[in-house]
Amino acid sequence: MTDIKTALITGASRGIGNAIARELKDNGYEVLGTATSDSGVKLIQDQGIGGYVLDLNSSDSLVNFWDQIEAENKNISVLINNAGITRDNIVLRMSDDEWSDIMNVHLNGTFQLCKRALKMMLKSKWGRVINISSASASIGNRGQSNYAAAKAGVEAFTKSLAKEVGKRDITINAVAPGFITTDMTEQNKGVNAEYLMKEIPLGRFGEAEEVANLVNFLCSSKASYITGQTIHINGGLYM
Ligand code: NAP
């Protein structure tokens, strides 16, 4: 394989995904990133990163996206399943759409992209997949039964896939952040900030760049004997 590895990061327009995209670019990868809109794609491209439209809640979008990747002869050897949304509600009030949107984006999206990218990794006989999970998968969260269930599914999927492809030098890991400062956690910061800080031994939210550093390590040759793991990064919120 060539020296320059190609990394695909879903949800690279903002937050953790954008930090990962920049970190991997700085470390010499060819980076491809996705957003749901043309304006998001432009934000990515303005950072010198390949930008693509992908809405994981739409099977048409997934097909169009992958057609484009194949037409451009991209050979993905690093896949970061990062794109994410929340649709919080208590179970008694949760709509079917709030449930299925979360399953589509987090769990089905991870499955669909792994299935396609793995074919490229198998040919290259090398690969890295990092699935972004959440501390919610381990500790649960009131109003996030959909999100916690999807992320727990992602972690179980990670272990199973690691067993399927380990012999081909492909590692599959999950990274489970606690509270990281991004658009997703903006609402929690105001209302629950004091309570949350008490629960986090390090006494602060994490930064997207701190998650990106961990992901960069897991993608590197230094992490060659780590697979099937969920690595927690949460300031001690969950131990
Ligand atoms: P964020 O700032 O809200 O960014 C979300 C990203 O996902 C954006 O790039 C967004 O694209 C993309 N996205 C949204 N809906 C999508 C869809 N239907 N299809 C494809 N992409 C979509 O979120 P974040 O906080 O960085 O979260 C990133 C990941 O970390 C998620 O998987 C999240 O569950 C996980 N996580 C975050 C935290 C935290 O504290 N922030 C904690 C634990 C886990 P657009 O810009 O086009 O909308």
Side-chain angles (χ1 to χ4, degrees):
M1 59 189 295
T2 58
D3 287 328
I4 296 178
K5 296 189 174 81
T6 301
L8 169 62
I9 298 134
T10 62
S13 45
R14 296 184 278 127
I16 294 170
N18 188 255
I20 295 170
R22 287 183 282 110
E23 178 68 18
L24 294 187
K25 179 174 178 282
D26 288 350
N27 280 278
Y29 294 81
E30 178 195 21
V31 179
L32 316 177
T34 76
T36 59
S37 65
D38 289 334
S39 57
V41 167
K42 186 170 181 315
L43 275 175
I44 295 171
Q45 289 171 339
D46 286 348
Q47 295 176 317
I49 295 164
Y52 299 81
V53 172
L54 173 63
D55 179 355
L56 290 169
N57 217 358
S58 152
S59 46
D60 286 349
S61 174
L62 197 57
V63 169
N64 291 338
F65 166 70
W66 207 258
D67 283 351
Q68 202 181 341
I69 292 290
E70 286 184 340
E72 292 178 13
N73 284 319
K74 297 296 184 190
N75 183 28
I76 291 156
S77 55
V78 173
L79 169 65
I80 317 293
N81 285 301
N82 163 83
I85 53 168
T86 51
R87 296 280 184 269
D88 294 358
N89 218 336
I90 59 168
V91 170
L92 286 173
R93 289 201 202 115
M94 187 173 288
S95 68
D96 289 352
D97 283 349
E98 284 169 337
W99 178 267
S100 59
D101 285 357
I102 290 289
M103 294 302 152
N104 283 339
V105 172
H106 293 273
L107 196 49
N108 296 346
T110 297
F111 162 68
Q112 294 292 349
L113 286 177
C114 281
K115 193 173 168 182
R116 287 166 173 81
L118 271 172
K119 288 183 183 152
M120 296 179 179
M121 295 179 197
L122 286 168
K123 271 192 198 153
S124 305
K125 298 192 174 65
W126 189 92
R128 295 277 191 267
V129 176
I130 319 285
N131 297 320
I132 305 299
S133 181
S134 164
S136 296
S138 298
I139 56 183
N141 204 5
R142 185 184 179 279
Q144 285 201 322
S145 59
N146 49 359
Y147 182 81
K151 292 300 199 186
V154 164
E155 291 183 13
F157 174 79
T158 299
K159 293 181 206 174
S160 304
L161 188 56
K163 290 188 176 185
E164 290 182 15
V165 297
K167 290 218 166 57
R168 308 295 187 95
D169 207 6
I170 300 171
T171 66
I172 319 284
N173 289 291
V175 164
F179 287 100
I180 308 298
T181 303
T182 68
D183 294 347
M184 192 179 268
T185 47
E186 204 44 49
Q187 67 217 37
N188 291 321
K189 277 198 109 172
V191 189
N192 302 323
E194 207 179 320
Y195 164 76
L196 288 172
M197 292 310 166
K198 276 191 201 142
E199 297 295 309
I200 302 170
L202 288 184
R204 64 174 177 86
F205 276 36
E207 298 301 322
E209 287 72 19
E210 293 176 295
V211 180
N213 290 337
L214 172 59
V215 170
N216 179 49
F217 168 71
L218 288 172
C219 292
S220 75
S221 55
K222 291 181 179 169
S224 51
Y225 203 53
I226 303 173
T227 196
Q229 306 302 310
T230 295
I231 316 285
H232 291 270
I233 176 164
N234 56 37
L237 171 72
Y238 169 75
M239 302 181 185

